[in-house]
Amino acid sequence: MRERPLALEAGGELPGLRLAFETWGRLAPDRSNAVLVLHALTGDSHVAGPAGPGHPTAGWWEGLVGPGLALDTDRWFVAAPNVLGGCQGSTGPSTERRPGRRWGGDFPFLTQRDQVAAEAGWADALGIDRWALVVGGSMGGMRALEWAVSYPERTGALLLLATTAAAGAEQIAWASAQLHAIRADPHWHGGHYHGTGRGPWAGLGLARRIAHVTYRSEPELQDRFGRAAQDGEDPWSGGRYRVESYLDHHAAKLARRFDAGSYVVLTEAMNSHDVGRGRGGVRSALRRVTAPALVAGVDSDRLYPPGQQAELAAGIGTADRLRLIESPYGHDGFLIETEQVAALVRELIG
Ligand SMILES: CC(=O)SCCNC(=O)CCNC(=O)[C@H](O)C(C)(C)COP(=O)(O)OP(=O)(O)OC[C@H]1O[C@@H](n2cnc3c(N)ncnc32)[C@H](O)[C@@H]1OP(=O)(O)O
Ligand SMILES: N[C@@H](CCO)C(=O)O
């Protein structure tokens, strides 16, 4: 819980904010072994570990964090906050603004910088002045970059995965379609639906369908599903193609575990991302990074194409050449190809 309100970049302030977090390993007496892991849009603080109370699924980077793994918890103290504006324990639209009243559609507009400022306050509370490594992919990579630019003295090393210096026109365009899908749902009610027993779940599901296609690659979808019909269904008489059923599954799964209001707030925060804003542009901002850095893209990523990571690798003076994760899975490759991510972690801090 932060005592002071957080002053927001767009104006106004957010009082009484909380960030949920998880940690693994032990913080060294000199506090030099702390690693910050930042999750993507619908991720959470449960980076590793089994499913259990409060965690309907196993960790999303299972295989990366634990004894003997790349983020070896016998050596590193790994910490992961749930992003500000999210819905897995941190303050967001679904949390109470005051007793009995949720934020809903009154939750303020956030930027990645606001979210990182909140994380810096949380790091202060943990007593961590400097991270040995800050790592994140996609939206987590945006925040990792903001950490390295806003707080170079607190960022010991930097690993950026499948991310960008600034949200591009196409990324904003895809996001815009998703925002419209949610806001067009008759149960959206301007974001004030919490506690009514109903919500814009159809809209959130539609947003996830749109997003999920962008998270995967065309060859993967073609190889995996082709033109096949879903078992027992006929697309020519009201049934679905197998790929439609797959998207329906991901839509329903997200609608069960994620808040639409958070999806809107986080998507708008991603759209706002421009590390160069107020800093003389992207190139000038990237020159602020002092941490040894690695930047990697996924070779089949059509949402955050490797050209965006090439810009980062070229602009960050301390970065090595651009690395490519080889994967058929598109943007989600940074979540799925954990062995290749582990190799990058080891190269940077191993
Ligand atoms: C995994 C979590 O949700 S953890 C919670 C935190 N979440 C995050 O961090 C978000 C990050 N996760 C994600 O974005 C995705 O879930 C990923 C990237 C991990 C998914 O990657 P993959 O393992 O490649 O999953 P994939 O896209 O193949 O989907 C598999 C699911 O589709 C289902 N599926 C496959 N084909 C079909 C079909 N024709 N019809 C219906 N369902 C189908 C599978 O049964 C499986 O279901 P399950 O996930 O409920 O077990
Ligand atoms: N599948 C990931 C990708 C976003 O970068 C998520 O849902 O968070």
Side-chain angles (χ1 to χ4, degrees):
M1 176 82 157
R2 184 186 163 105
E3 299 300 330
R4 285 176 294 114
L6 178 72
L8 301 175
E9 208 187 342
E13 56 184 29
L14 188 61
L17 74 89
R18 290 173 185 270
L19 291 189
F21 65 97
E22 283 186 61
T23 67
W24 299 259
R26 293 172 72 90
L27 187 59
D30 65 359
R31 298 167 189 266
S32 62
N33 67 334
V35 171
L36 175 60
V37 177
L38 298 171
H39 68 75
L41 173 62
T42 74
D44 55 28
S45 60
H46 196 48
V47 181
H55 306 300
T57 49
W60 52 268
W61 250 354
E62 207 62 70
L64 210 68
V65 179
L69 299 177
L71 288 173
D72 186 347
T73 46
D74 291 333
R75 176 181 175 197
W76 301 109
F77 173 74
V78 179
N82 178 215
V83 70
L84 180 64
C87 54
Q88 293 113 334
S90 292
T91 299
S94 59
T95 59
E96 284 191 338
R97 181 178 193 176
R98 53 180 177 269
R101 175 80 181 160
R102 315 252 205 125
W103 276 99
D106 294 332
F107 195 80
F109 180 89
L110 294 182
T111 67
Q112 300 289 320
R113 285 185 207 174
D114 296 327
Q115 293 164 327
V116 166
E119 287 163 6
W122 160 76
D124 292 342
L126 286 181
I128 296 168
D129 295 333
R130 184 173 185 274
W131 300 100
L133 169 68
V134 179
V135 53
S138 192
M139 185 184 88
M142 293 177 177
R143 304 208 302 296
L145 179 61
E146 276 294 342
W147 262 96
V149 169
S150 299
Y151 307 101
E153 71 291 352
R154 302 187 73 169
T155 307
L158 176 67
L159 178 53
L160 301 177
L161 304 167
T163 196
T164 182
E170 190 172 88
Q171 287 156 339
I172 295 170
W174 285 122
S176 158
Q178 295 166 45
L179 293 171
H180 275 284
I182 293 171
R183 289 179 170 138
D185 188 308
H187 299 304
W188 169 245
H189 294 306
H192 294 289
Y193 57 86
H194 301 96
T196 65
R198 289 180 165 180
W201 301 314
L204 178 60
L206 184 49
R208 184 62 161 184
R209 286 180 183 85
I210 297 166
H212 198 78
V213 175
T214 71
Y215 295 157
R216 313 300 282 219
S217 74
E218 184 274 336
E220 186 220 354
L221 295 179
Q222 183 61 26
D223 286 354
R224 199 167 161 185
F225 302 106
R227 297 189 43 75
Q230 181 64 8
D231 295 346
E233 299 188 29
D234 179 0
W236 284 31
S237 58
R240 298 169 300 172
Y241 290 96
R242 189 168 286 171
V243 69
E244 291 182 274
S245 168
Y246 169 72
L247 292 178
D248 288 350
H249 176 80
H250 277 289
K253 200 169 168 183
L254 190 77
R256 280 195 300 274
R257 73 174 177 86
F258 211 82
D259 177 53
S262 279
Y263 197 95
V264 166
V265 166
L266 300 184
T267 299
E268 290 197 320
M270 282 197 289
N271 282 350
S272 80
H273 174 61
D274 176 0
V275 78
R277 183 176 59 251
R279 292 166 171 157
V282 165
R283 293 193 72 82
S284 156
L286 295 182
R287 280 197 291 271
R288 295 186 185 200
V289 178
T290 54
L294 275 181
V295 185
V298 181
D299 58 1
S300 56
D301 189 341
R302 55 181 167 186
L303 182 60
Y304 290 71
Q308 293 188 329
Q309 297 90 56
E311 180 189 23
L312 288 168
I316 297 174
T318 49
D320 200 359
R321 66 182 165 79
L322 172 67
R323 303 307 169 85
L324 280 181
I325 293 170
E326 292 177 12
S327 175
Y329 298 114
H331 182 61
D332 270 348
F334 81 92
L335 292 164
I336 296 168
E337 308 290 355
T338 43
E339 283 186 20
Q340 294 182 61
V341 174
L344 294 168
V345 170
R346 287 200 170 95
E347 181 180 342
L348 197 52
I349 60 167

Coordinates of all heavy atoms in Angstrom, one line a residue, residues 10 12 51 70 96 108 114 122 135 144 148 164 202 234 246-248 258 265 281 313 344:
A10 N -1.0 12.1 -16.9 CA -2.1 12.8 -17.6 C -2.8 13.8 -16.7 O -3.8 14.5 -17.2 CB -3.1 11.8 -18.2
G12 N -4.0 14.7 -12.4 CA -4.7 14.1 -11.3 C -3.8 13.1 -10.6 O -2.6 13.1 -10.8
A51 N -0.4 -24.1 -9.9 CA -1.7 -23.5 -9.7 C -2.1 -23.7 -8.3 O -1.6 -24.7 -7.6 CB -2.7 -24.1 -10.6
A70 N 17.5 -20.6 -15.1 CA 18.3 -19.4 -15.6 C 18.1 -18.3 -14.5 O 19.1 -17.6 -14.2 CB 17.7 -18.9 -16.9
E96 N -11.9 -1.5 -5.0 CA -12.7 -0.5 -4.3 C -12.0 0.9 -4.3 O -10.8 1.0 -3.9 CB -13.0 -0.9 -2.9 CG -14.1 -2.0 -2.9 CD -14.6 -2.2 -1.5 OE1 -13.9 -1.9 -0.5 OE2 -15.8 -2.7 -1.3
P108 N -8.7 6.3 -13.4 CA -8.0 7.2 -14.2 C -7.2 6.6 -15.4 O -6.8 5.5 -15.3 CB -7.1 8.0 -13.3 CG -6.9 7.1 -12.1 CD -8.1 6.2 -12.0
D114 N 3.4 5.9 -15.5 CA 2.7 5.9 -14.2 C 2.9 4.5 -13.5 O 3.1 4.4 -12.3 CB 1.2 6.2 -14.4 CG 0.9 7.5 -14.9 OD1 1.6 8.5 -14.6 OD2 -0.1 7.7 -15.7
W122 N 7.0 0.8 -5.0 CA 7.0 -0.6 -4.4 C 8.4 -1.1 -4.1 O 8.7 -1.7 -3.1 CB 6.2 -1.5 -5.4 CG 6.4 -3.0 -5.2 CD1 5.9 -3.8 -4.3 CD2 7.2 -3.8 -6.1 NE1 6.3 -5.1 -4.5 CE2 7.1 -5.1 -5.6 CE3 8.0 -3.5 -7.3 CZ2 7.8 -6.2 -6.3 CZ3 8.6 -4.6 -7.9 CH2 8.5 -5.9 -7.4
V135 N 13.6 -7.4 -16.5 CA 13.3 -8.2 -17.7 C 11.8 -8.2 -18.0 O 11.0 -8.2 -17.0 CB 13.8 -9.7 -17.6 CG1 13.3 -10.4 -16.4 CG2 13.4 -10.5 -18.9
A144 N 9.9 -2.4 -18.7 CA 11.3 -2.6 -18.4 C 12.1 -1.5 -19.1 O 13.0 -1.0 -18.5 CB 11.7 -4.0 -19.0
A148 N 14.5 1.4 -17.3 CA 15.9 1.7 -17.7 C 16.2 3.2 -18.1 O 17.3 3.7 -17.9 CB 16.4 0.8 -18.8
T164 N 8.7 -2.7 -27.9 CA 9.0 -1.5 -28.8 C 9.3 -0.3 -28.0 O 8.9 -0.1 -26.9 CB 7.7 -1.3 -29.7 OG1 7.9 -0.3 -30.6 CG2 6.5 -1.0 -28.9
A202 N -18.9 -10.7 -23.4 CA -18.9 -11.0 -24.9 C -17.9 -10.0 -25.6 O -17.1 -10.5 -26.5 CB -20.3 -10.8 -25.5
D234 N -20.2 -28.7 -38.7 CA -20.2 -28.4 -40.1 C -20.3 -26.9 -40.3 O -21.4 -26.3 -40.1 CB -21.4 -29.2 -40.8 CG -21.4 -28.9 -42.3 OD1 -20.5 -28.2 -42.8 OD2 -22.3 -29.4 -43.0
Y246 N -11.0 -22.8 -31.5 CA -9.8 -22.4 -30.8 C -9.9 -21.0 -30.2 O -9.6 -20.7 -29.0 CB -8.6 -22.6 -31.7 CG -7.3 -22.1 -31.2 CD1 -6.6 -22.7 -30.2 CD2 -6.7 -21.0 -31.8 CE1 -5.4 -22.2 -29.8 CE2 -5.5 -20.5 -31.4 CZ -4.8 -21.1 -30.4 OH -3.6 -20.6 -30.0
L247 N -10.3 -20.1 -31.1 CA -10.5 -18.7 -30.6 C -11.6 -18.6 -29.6 O -11.5 -17.8 -28.6 CB -10.7 -17.8 -31.8 CG -9.5 -17.6 -32.8 CD1 -9.9 -16.7 -34.0 CD2 -8.3 -17.1 -32.1
D248 N -12.7 -19.3 -29.8 CA -13.8 -19.3 -28.8 C -13.2 -19.7 -27.5 O -13.6 -19.1 -26.4 CB -14.9 -20.2 -29.3 CG -15.7 -19.7 -30.4 OD1 -15.5 -18.5 -30.8 OD2 -16.5 -20.5 -31.0
F258 N -10.2 -12.5 -16.4 CA -9.7 -11.1 -16.6 C -10.8 -10.1 -16.6 O -11.9 -10.4 -17.1 CB -8.9 -11.0 -17.9 CG -7.8 -10.0 -17.8 CD1 -6.6 -10.4 -17.2 CD2 -7.9 -8.7 -18.2 CE1 -5.5 -9.5 -17.1 CE2 -6.9 -7.8 -18.2 CZ -5.7 -8.2 -17.6
V265 N -8.0 -0.3 -19.5 CA -7.0 0.6 -18.9 C -5.6 0.2 -19.4 O -4.8 1.1 -19.8 CB -7.1 0.6 -17.4 CG1 -5.9 1.2 -16.7 CG2 -8.4 1.3 -16.9
G281 N 12.5 12.8 -28.0 CA 12.4 11.7 -29.0 C 13.0 10.4 -28.6 O 13.7 10.3 -27.6
A313 N 17.7 -2.0 -30.3 CA 19.1 -2.5 -30.2 C 20.1 -1.5 -30.8 O 21.2 -1.3 -30.2 CB 19.3 -3.9 -30.9
L344 N 19.2 -16.2 -23.1 CA 19.5 -14.8 -23.1 C 19.7 -14.3 -21.7 O 20.6 -13.5 -21.4 CB 18.3 -14.0 -23.7 CG 18.1 -14.3 -25.2 CD1 16.7 -13.8 -25.6 CD2 19.2 -13.7 -26.1

